[in-house]
Amino acid sequence: MATPITLHSVTSVPCDAQAGCDVCSLNDLCLLSHVEENELERFDGLIQHMRPIKRGGYVFRAGAPLRSLFAIRAGSFKTSVLHDDGREQVTGFYMAGEIMGLDGISSDIHTVNAVALEDSELCELPYYELERLVRDMPSLQHHFHRIMSREIVRDHGVMLLLGAMSAEERIATFLLQLSKRYLARGYSASSFSLRMGRGEIGSYLGLTIETVSRVFSRLQEEGYVSVQKRDICLKNVPGLRKLIGKNDVSTRDFAARPGALHAVA
Amino acid sequence: MATPITLHSVTSVPCDAQAGCDVCSLNDLCLLSHVEENELERFDGLIQHMRPIKRGGYVFRAGAPLRSLFAIRAGSFKTSVLHDDGREQVTGFYMAGEIMGLDGISSDIHTVNAVALEDSELCELPYYELERLVRDMPSLQHHFHRIMSREIVRDHGVMLLLGAMSAEERIATFLLQLSKRYLARGYSASSFSLRMGRGEIGSYLGLTIETVSRVFSRLQEEGYVSVQKRDICLKNVPGLRKLIGKNDVSTRDFAARPGALHAVA
DNA sequence: CGGCAGGTTGACGACCCTCAAATTTTGTGG
DNA sequence: CCACAAAATTTGAGGGTCGTCAACCTGCCG
């Protein structure tokens, strides 16, 4: 029933092994895009480049003291919180150019676990040196704030997803989101391979592993996607988009009360 | 069936109407706690104090350009995102001493609506002036970063709640969370009044209004709380705590794969 | 070849959503 | 202050979605 699909390789390393920031191909996505030319050297010196990490390896653990933030140079990661009773909630998936560890700034202690989903490479940014550097470089400062804010906005999206969407909508949203992120990194938007297992997807989306599997099967039957283990091909992107928000929840209307358009001066 | 309860008033204004930062009773919670004495004047000058806002009034709307962050001096607010199809997801409730608007930094545009749940008072912090000020004051800078990070951590908590908890656990968690926040502000931890409607609670927790109502009723029957419209009294806090995590989800174990303890240097 | 982890599929049932109606509370104008 | 309308909340009955439990399949590796 499943049609065979071909996939691009998306595991190529973005730049050669010893390269510094100045030649890293990720610099559009990275913090560094806002470092001024004459300061680049200082920034570059701050970073511990090219820290390799194996699949399944921890970048940091919940409870560990915050020392550094980690920029992903290649590969992908998940972060998760562990509830007392052993429940795990995956809080995010991260890929090249993104920053992990921001949660730890709040109390100088990491609150999530960060684990590599495949063999990957990190740039380590010692946090307190970064904070110092940021003070001298307004555009870097602003960019850093943007990155933290983006994390907040992303989390709000997940909350919408978890709080108000059906299983099918969650999966569709998840796939479209991944597609967008691969596209932004120069990979195919329609063919990619999932770096995480069904269980991890389920945890992230608030579904069981069985439900994730069933929805994948159904989406395939209905021609939206081709799924072959972890290889995904989006066959009908507009259809997937329409899948989201088809459920009529218009009765569930908690719209704000009528009131002043703005604070009264 | 419901036992009558008495409640403390928690609507008193924390400081007199024209007061500046230097005498505001919130300064332990506020950004300002990390402003150095000799710089306080500059900080104080930046802020537009005492902006009153009526219940139902918007602080800002999703889509509006980011100009300021807003510190809550008194009262309470909700933030929410609106999905295309009219669905709303409440993303947070905010009370005195907390900061709203951080989501807007990411793209210079607010992504949520912020609405007053009661008549309230704000301090307006023009964002770009704040950013400049922050550069000159390391401890303020760090505190600001902490505040953004705290928002991220809080969102992770909500994700855990939405992704892995039953209706009863969500409500219990929600109530305990509120209790803690009131306590931190010097109010009773066991008796307080909800500033939001059942529908808003439901949206925040990913439940329908009916389910929220039913769970409140059940918790009351079982002696955990007293509920009288929006007035809540926690009767059995340890019991509420135990309610969370009673469901055995130990089979739902997505624990990280065995692997290196840390990145290989 | 056998064990194992990851994934799929099916049957069944619980939890929570939907729909509906009653009831209380709030807001407004007389 | 009361009457009325509108909104919020509660409660009940019924059904659907998704979780639970279980069996089976596949690919991988020793």
Side-chain angles (χ1 to χ4, degrees):
Chain A
M1 207 170 284
T3 50
I5 52 179
T6 51
L7 291 171
H8 304 166
S9 165
V10 284
T11 49
S12 59
V13 175
C15 50
D16 58 290
Q18 303 308 323
C21 282
D22 50 339
V23 296
C24 178
S25 64
L26 284 173
N27 55 17
D28 282 354
L29 294 164
C30 185
L31 256 180
L32 145 106
S33 63
H34 290 254
V35 176
E36 290 136 32
E37 193 63 41
N38 54 354
E39 296 273 17
L40 194 54
E41 201 173 327
R42 189 173 157 203
F43 188 77
D44 210 15
L46 161 71
I47 298 180
Q48 296 185 27
H49 296 283
M50 300 308 303
R51 184 165 172 174
I53 183 167
K54 287 226 169 302
R55 169 185 163 144
Y58 279 78
V59 183
F60 50 79
R61 290 172 186 271
L66 170 78
R67 283 194 240 286
S68 299
L69 304 181
F70 296 88
I72 300 169
R73 177 168 254 203
S76 50
F77 297 80
K78 71 168 176 182
T79 55
S80 61
V81 293
L82 224 57
H83 207 239
D84 315 320
D85 49 4
R87 275 181 284 199
E88 188 195 32
Q89 172 75 30
V90 171
T91 54
F93 295 113
Y94 294 81
M95 47 205 282
E98 300 177 326
I99 305 272
M100 296 185 294
L102 298 173
D103 58 281
I105 298 170
S106 160
S107 58
D108 273 338
I109 289 179
H110 287 291
T111 60
V112 297
N113 299 292
V115 178
L117 295 172
E118 59 188 314
D119 294 356
S120 304
E121 284 165 19
L122 295 167
C123 294
E124 181 168 355
L125 315 163
Y127 177 64
Y128 286 95
E129 297 179 40
L130 179 66
E131 224 175 43
R132 216 175 308 129
L133 186 65
V134 149
R135 280 203 289 278
D136 299 340
M137 296 163 67
S139 72
L140 178 63
Q141 179 201 32
H142 187 55
H143 193 56
F144 181 59
H145 292 168
R146 273 164 124 83
I147 284 174
M148 297 204 80
S149 176
R150 192 193 305 156
E151 188 84 10
I152 293 170
V153 172
R154 186 198 296 193
D155 289 345
H156 288 168
V158 178
M159 288 168 63
L160 178 59
L161 188 143
L162 291 173
M165 288 190 182
S166 69
E168 200 171 68
E169 290 177 296
R170 293 183 203 190
I171 299 273
T173 305
F174 175 67
L175 291 176
L176 290 172
Q177 185 75 33
L178 276 184
S179 163
K180 197 165 140 193
R181 286 159 82 188
Y182 278 120
L183 183 64
R185 281 158 185 78
Y187 300 116
S188 166
S190 58
S191 292
F192 49 87
S193 92
L194 302 171
R195 299 300 151 70
M196 67 296 286
R198 300 288 192 269
E200 289 160 336
I201 296 174
S203 173
Y204 181 63
L205 298 178
L207 303 170
T208 59
I209 191 171
E210 295 95 329
T211 301
V212 173
S213 180
R214 268 187 265 267
V215 172
F216 273 158
S217 299
R218 188 172 351 131
L219 290 179
Q220 179 163 245
E221 275 171 28
E222 292 167 355
Y224 290 108
V225 301
S226 284
V227 189
Q228 216 139 45
K229 351 185 267 166
R230 294 194 176 185
D231 295 331
I232 291 275
C233 185
L234 306 186
K235 298 288 193 189
N236 180 1
V237 171
L240 280 173
R241 272 194 239 283
K242 268 198 282 196
L243 229 48
I244 304 167
K246 253 194 10 203
N247 303 16
D248 188 355
V249 206
S250 55
T251 50
R252 210 198 279 188
D253 188 323
F254 309 111
R257 307 181 193 82
L261 278 187
H262 214 80
V264 185
Chain B
M1 207 168 288
T3 50
I5 52 180
T6 51
L7 290 172
H8 305 166
S9 166
V10 284
T11 48
S12 60
V13 176
C15 50
D16 59 290
Q18 303 307 323
C21 281
D22 51 339
V23 297
C24 178
S25 64
L26 284 173
N27 55 19
D28 282 352
L29 294 164
C30 185
L31 255 180
L32 145 104
S33 63
H34 290 253
V35 176
E36 290 135 32
E37 193 62 41
N38 54 356
E39 295 274 16
L40 194 55
E41 202 174 326
R42 188 174 158 203
F43 188 77
D44 210 15
L46 160 70
I47 297 180
Q48 296 185 27
H49 295 284
M50 299 308 302
R51 185 164 172 176
I53 182 167
K54 285 225 171 301
R55 170 187 162 144
Y58 279 78
V59 183
F60 50 79
R61 290 172 187 270
L66 170 78
R67 283 194 240 287
S68 298
L69 304 180
F70 296 88
I72 300 168
R73 176 168 253 202
S76 50
F77 297 81
K78 69 168 178 181
T79 55
S80 61
V81 292
L82 225 56
H83 206 241
D84 315 321
D85 49 3
R87 274 180 285 197
E88 187 195 33
Q89 172 75 31
V90 171
T91 54
F93 295 113
Y94 295 82
M95 47 205 282
E98 299 177 327
I99 306 273
M100 298 184 293
L102 297 173
D103 59 280
I105 297 169
S106 160
S107 59
D108 273 339
I109 289 179
H110 287 291
T111 61
V112 298
N113 299 293
V115 178
L117 294 172
E118 59 189 315
D119 294 357
S120 304
E121 285 165 18
L122 294 168
C123 294
E124 180 168 357
L125 315 163
Y127 177 63
Y128 286 96
E129 297 178 41
L130 178 65
E131 224 175 44
R132 216 175 308 130
L133 186 64
V134 149
R135 280 202 289 277
D136 300 339
M137 297 162 67
S139 71
L140 179 62
Q141 178 202 33
H142 188 56
H143 193 55
F144 181 59
H145 291 168
R146 274 163 124 81
I147 283 174
M148 296 203 80
S149 177
R150 191 193 306 157
E151 188 85 9
I152 294 171
V153 172
R154 186 198 295 194
D155 289 346
H156 289 168
V158 178
M159 287 167 62
L160 177 59
L161 189 143
L162 291 173
M165 287 189 182
S166 71
E168 202 172 67
E169 290 177 296
R170 294 183 202 189
I171 300 273
T173 305
F174 174 68
L175 291 177
L176 290 172
Q177 185 75 33
L178 276 184
S179 163
K180 198 166 139 191
R181 286 160 81 187
Y182 278 121
L183 183 64
R185 281 158 186 78
Y187 300 117
S188 167
S190 58
S191 292
F192 47 88
S193 93
L194 302 171
R195 299 298 150 69
M196 66 296 286
R198 299 287 192 271
E200 288 159 337
I201 296 173
S203 172
Y204 181 62
L205 298 178
L207 302 170
T208 60
I209 190 172
E210 294 95 329
T211 300
V212 173
S213 180
R214 268 186 266 267
V215 172
F216 273 158
S217 299
R218 188 171 352 131
L219 289 180
Q220 179 162 248
E221 275 171 28
E222 293 165 355
Y224 291 108
V225 301
S226 283
V227 189
Q228 215 140 46
K229 21 184 231 165
R230 295 194 175 185
D231 295 331
I232 292 275
C233 184
L234 306 187
K235 299 287 192 189
N236 179 1
V237 170
L240 280 174
R241 272 194 239 282
K242 269 197 281 197
L243 230 47
I244 303 167
K246 263 211 336 222
N247 303 16
D248 188 357
V249 208
S250 53
T251 50
R252 209 197 279 186
D253 189 325
F254 308 112
R257 306 180 194 83
L261 278 186
H262 212 79
V264 185

